[in-house]
Amino acid sequence: PTVGTPFSMVVKPTVIISERISSGGSSLVVFTCLVDGWVCAMKELQLDRNVLEYQVKQFEHEISVLESIPSHPNVCRYLFHDFTNTSIRLFMTKYTCTLQNVITERKNAN
């Protein structure tokens, strides 16, 4: 008997990238996207000739950490990730504000 789900039965989700949220010097870009109709955030590292090995390792470590921590209301939730020949993508919950928004709001309230 086979344990688990056979690879041929795993359905890859439909991802529609809708809006670029941010980008930085680390070659990572964050987008709002729809995954099978659900709104989430996608962080992507393009594996082009400009990406450095340490950037790949850092992003893989970030994925590993986010994947391993328990769910918490103040931390974005890991949904899934995928690796292709051209990119590494991390999918997580998307919130309507940033931590900076919350801090600023609390400072202004006092």
Side-chain angles (χ1 to χ4, degrees):
T2 304
V3 177
T5 304
F7 184 73
S8 62
M9 294 179 69
V10 175
V11 178
K12 191 166 183 164
T14 301
V15 176
I16 300 170
I17 298 171
S18 58
E19 177 187 6
R20 182 184 214 157
I21 300 172
S22 71
S23 61
S26 63
S27 300
L28 289 166
V29 182
V30 181
F31 298 93
T32 296
C33 66
L34 295 171
V35 176
D36 290 339
W38 294 91
V39 176
C40 66
M42 179 189 78
K43 188 182 247 188
E44 181 178 53
L45 178 64
Q46 288 290 322
L47 301 176
D48 58 24
R49 62 186 175 157
N50 297 321
V51 71
L52 302 173
E53 182 64 27
Y54 84 91
Q55 292 170 312
V56 173
K57 295 289 184 203
Q58 281 180 335
F59 193 39
E60 288 173 340
H61 181 71
E62 178 181 349
I63 291 169
S64 175
V65 168
L66 197 54
E67 206 174 13
S68 68
I69 60 175
S71 182
H72 188 280
N74 296 332
V75 178
C76 64
R77 188 169 162 209
Y78 168 87
L79 299 174
F80 68 97
H81 68 277
D82 68 13
F83 292 84
T84 68
N85 291 335
T86 59
S87 69
I88 303 172
R89 302 187 308 178
L90 167 62
F91 296 85
M92 54 203 147
T93 51
K94 181 179 184 296
Y95 295 98
T96 57
C97 66
T98 66
L99 179 57
Q100 183 62 48
N101 296 133
V102 173
I103 292 169
T104 301
E105 187 177 301
R106 287 186 181 174
K107 280 184 181 178
N108 292 339
N110 292 327

